[in-house]
Amino acid sequence: MALLPQILPSPRLAAAAASPNSAFRPAPRLHSSAPGRRGRGARLATAASASGSGSSPSSPESYQPAESDDGLVELPLFPLPLVLFPDATHALHIFEFRYRIMMHTVLQTDLRFGVVFAGSGAGGAADVGCVGEVVKHERLADDRFFLICKGQERFRVARVVRTKPYLVAAVQWLEDRPPAETPAPGDDAEALATDVEALMRDVIRIANRLNGKPEKDVGDLRRGLFPTPFSFYVGNTFEGAPREQQALLELEDTAARLRRERDTLRNTLNYLTAASAVKDAFPSSPSSG
């Protein structure tokens, strides 16, 4: 569940609408690119059958994600107007024909596909995305699907393999790099994660107050997470700001991601504090609105 729905609202159910067929837009680089990982397993996961998925009326060609000679892995892609983070879950409604074909294939193989952000502006889909694994699905009588997917590893698109009937790309995996130098005191990932958690508590407290909700203990937001998975968890709460979420997903430095999240939360807290002060100074009359 999103922690900041009052601030950055967005629907939880993403409809699989029409999306760009081919070209990927080069994502803005917030850091120097690192060489792709090689030597990873040739498959994303062991092929698994999906119980209750049924057979496809269109009998799609069997597809197995495999590692190529250059170490890249082929992955079916689903452009969506949302950003999937590792360990986050999203509910999806699959109704467009080409993606129904893709889901039949995914459910008959390893249950995984790539989610890439495709906003409403021109330029196509982002070239950095996250693997989504189907954890629950329901196939409807008219061959639509409702499913829940969970984010796994991140990837960068290296090249498009094919565009029909749906996108397939060769991808390389992304992982956060360790810091090149010893960070200054208070600027290491652990200290930044502590700062971010404290800011989240303040933001939630004031947001609840502005929305007329009773103040209560927020609880443990960190939940024992290490800085890297916590930074993804925080980014997932920034609903309604998918381009900012995409920028966070693309970073390969945990400390840089946490610093950016800290800045965003500070700005949000300043805005909410000012809004709270205005509300206290000019309370609404009982007869208003």
Side-chain angles (χ1 to χ4, degrees):
M1 182 177 69
L3 294 174
L4 311 176
Q6 306 94 338
I7 305 163
L8 301 171
S10 72
R12 294 299 297 167
L13 185 65
S19 53
N21 283 329
S22 55
F24 284 79
R25 61 175 172 84
R29 299 303 169 87
L30 304 174
H31 49 78
S32 58
S33 59
R37 287 177 55 85
R38 299 176 184 268
R40 193 125 177 204
R43 298 176 55 117
L44 293 174
T46 304
S49 60
S51 60
S53 63
S55 59
S56 168
S58 56
S59 300
E61 178 185 355
S62 178
Y63 171 71
Q64 302 287 339
E67 185 175 301
S68 60
D69 292 339
D70 55 7
L72 303 177
V73 175
E74 290 188 6
L75 188 66
L77 298 185
F78 197 172
L80 286 169
L82 59 84
V83 177
L84 180 66
F85 284 91
D87 292 322
T89 58
H90 272 287
L92 300 175
H93 173 203
I94 313 298
F95 59 83
E96 190 176 349
F97 180 70
R98 55 180 162 170
Y99 296 120
R100 282 186 280 155
I101 294 177
M102 186 182 80
M103 282 304 149
H104 277 293
T105 302
V106 166
L107 292 171
Q108 292 168 8
T109 53
D110 68 354
L111 305 179
R112 299 189 181 193
F113 58 97
V115 175
V116 287
F117 172 65
S120 56
D127 66 349
V128 172
C130 182
V131 172
E133 180 177 13
V134 178
V135 295
K136 186 176 182 180
H137 77 279
E138 177 184 4
R139 179 183 172 187
L140 306 180
D142 58 0
D143 212 33
R144 289 179 295 120
F145 288 92
F146 288 115
L147 61 87
I148 296 175
C149 68
K150 183 175 182 179
Q152 304 293 337
E153 55 267 88
R154 293 175 297 156
F155 61 84
R156 184 183 302 279
V157 173
R159 65 173 182 271
V160 173
V161 175
R162 70 170 189 256
T163 61
K164 305 284 185 184
Y166 51 82
L167 278 169
V168 175
V171 306
Q172 60 185 19
W173 306 119
L174 291 185
E175 290 188 1
D176 280 6
R177 303 185 301 266
E181 301 177 355
T182 302
D187 201 40
D188 61 284
E190 182 61 39
L192 289 166
T194 300
D195 291 345
V196 167
E197 182 183 18
L199 285 166
M200 290 181 73
R201 289 177 181 275
D202 290 340
V203 167
I204 294 169
R205 175 177 54 81
I206 297 180
N208 285 340
R209 181 184 176 191
L210 280 170
N211 285 275
K213 297 181 179 180
E215 292 193 20
K216 59 181 180 180
D217 184 19
V218 175
D220 181 14
L221 300 177
R222 183 85 178 267
R223 301 174 302 166
L225 292 174
F226 287 108
T228 298
F230 179 64
S231 71
F232 293 136
Y233 173 73
V234 174
N236 188 54
T237 68
F238 291 176
E239 293 189 33
R243 297 190 185 281
E244 174 63 18
Q245 289 183 311
Q246 180 65 29
L248 293 170
L249 185 75
E250 293 174 9
L251 284 170
E252 297 176 50
D253 183 322
T254 299
R257 187 179 302 110
L258 287 166
R259 279 194 295 270
R260 184 162 180 150
E261 291 167 344
R262 181 184 62 183
D263 292 343
T264 297
L265 288 167
R266 279 177 176 170
N267 292 336
T268 302
L269 182 60
N270 290 338
Y271 171 82
L272 292 176
T273 301
S276 180
V278 170
K279 183 178 181 180
D280 291 342
F282 302 99
S284 300
S285 62
S287 60
S288 64

